[in-house]
Amino acid sequence: MVGWHVTSAPPSHLANVGGEVLPDEFGTEPLLGYRGWLVVNAGDHTGYALRSLHVPYVWSRENEAFCHRPASVFLQGRHVGRLSPDPGCSCGIYSQLPEHPLSDWERAKVGVVSASGTIAMWGRIIQCEKGYKAQHAEIQDPVVLDLSCVPGCDQAPSRIALPDHSQSPHFAFCDEHARSANNQVTVHAGIWLAEACRQLSARYRLDFLSWR
């Protein structure tokens, strides 16, 4: 399990501050939420991984959020941050409801290789206007990979660009837009997706699928 260290500044894409803390005895099973990721190169020589849409956090199968706001207190000789998620902070592991997709999240997946799936949440959970923020989350299978061409293009992408930097999105292009992809190195989309699914399945020990 890895920790998610989040700053106190509310994210510009989603005013996810406030909300109602669900009672500790809420349910006996983890609460399920829906979310998306970017598919990136992890940058540690371990292959492809899932990265959050708006913050540079590479997910593990199990994840834990921590709040490290400057207002954390000094308690019994040690520095203790607020429990995450906190109603007054944007920290936490985000998810949306399937019936309430967030347009900002969907826009972040346009033109790149993305993934969608469910997460099981437990621990401290806050219900917000647009979804949930959780203390703990585990990715569930299956996770589905998808890709789209540049904004405004509805053609099926045929090429995937290889980024110069790790944890950067992999841009996708149809045949027409691939010819003007600013000299980026591109590979066949079908072959790339098959290899990405293989690497991601090995990393997370989950089923990764692609409809293409």
Side-chain angles (χ1 to χ4, degrees), residues 26 29-34 95-98 118-121 132 138 140:
F26 177 79
E29 297 292 334
L31 182 66
L32 295 181
Y34 175 83
S95 73
Q96 61 184 358
L97 299 175
T118 58
I119 56 173
M121 301 173 289
Y132 294 96
E138 180 178 6
Q140 306 291 286

Side-chain angles (χ1 to χ4, degrees), residues 16 37 58 69 72 74 88 91-92 103 117 123 140 143 146 148 154 190 193 206:
N16 218 12
W37 299 270
V58 173
R69 290 200 292 172
S72 58
F74 198 76
C91 63
S103 57
Q140 306 291 286
V143 179
D146 197 12
S148 64
D154 58 0
L193 283 170
L206 297 169

Side-chain angles (χ1 to χ4, degrees), residues 12-77:
S12 59
H13 63 281
L14 177 63
N16 218 12
V17 177
E20 175 187 358
V21 180
L22 299 181
D24 292 340
E25 64 273 12
F26 177 79
T28 58
E29 297 292 334
L31 182 66
L32 295 181
Y34 175 83
R35 65 162 295 123
W37 299 270
L38 298 177
V39 178
V40 301
N41 189 308
D44 56 2
H45 307 291
T46 60
Y48 296 118
L50 299 180
R51 202 205 83 179
S52 292
L53 293 173
H54 295 97
V55 295
Y57 173 72
V58 173
W59 280 59
S60 295
R61 180 166 172 170
E62 293 187 16
N63 306 267
E64 180 179 5
F66 298 94
C67 183
H68 289 279
R69 290 200 292 172
S72 58
V73 298
F74 198 76
L75 178 65
Q76 295 181 348

